[in-house]
Amino acid sequence: MVPQDIGRVLINNAFYAVAKKAKQNLSGYKPSVIVSTSSTMSPSGDSGVEIRVKDNGPGISEEAKKKIFQPFFTTKPTGQGTGLGLSMSFDIVKSHGGETKEGEGSEFIIQSPG
């Protein structure tokens, strides 16, 4: 796992999402991005690490979720994103987990062997 890729792909997109929602001037909205890590143990006893990136941005629509790993797909306006982040990092995040609720935010979970 390349830490810079995780930062660029997940954390930068989370910051972009909360900034986008903040521009809506919703009453009481406070942008939040939470990054957490924890040690994990597989059923076979192997140790690993789990990284969670959670935001309270606009979430990912059902239509966009189907496409987020496709090359050149982006939800960003022209000139603000190439759409290469998740597709180029697919090998890193292909085992991603998490959830997203449109209008409420997203959480990506990366699990990696130690």
Side-chain angles (χ1 to χ4, degrees):
M1 181 180 314
V2 179
Q4 294 85 348
D5 288 343
I6 294 298
R8 185 174 69 243
V9 173
L10 298 178
I11 298 171
N12 287 356
N13 281 332
F15 283 127
Y16 177 85
V18 297
K20 180 179 176 181
K21 189 169 180 176
K23 288 180 182 178
Q24 296 175 4
N25 294 318
L26 301 171
S27 178
Y29 177 70
K30 294 183 190 226
S32 175
V33 175
I34 299 169
V35 179
S36 63
T37 60
S38 62
S39 297
T40 61
M41 187 70 66
S42 72
S44 63
D46 295 327
S47 65
V49 66
E50 179 178 275
I51 302 167
R52 290 177 178 253
V53 179
K54 183 175 184 174
D55 68 64
N56 67 343
I60 303 170
S61 70
E62 286 299 318
E63 182 178 324
K65 279 197 308 187
K66 295 174 187 173
K67 301 176 184 178
I68 61 173
F69 292 114
Q70 293 177 4
F72 305 109
F73 174 76
T74 183
T75 58
K76 296 176 183 171
T78 302
Q80 291 191 17
T82 62
L84 291 174
L86 288 175
S87 69
M88 287 182 70
S89 301
F90 182 72
D91 289 338
I92 296 169
V93 295
K94 67 183 173 185
S95 62
H96 80 287
E99 64 180 318
T100 182
K101 294 182 181 176
E102 195 166 1
E104 295 182 29
S106 300
E107 179 176 29
F108 280 84
I109 302 167
I110 310 294
Q111 295 179 331
S112 176

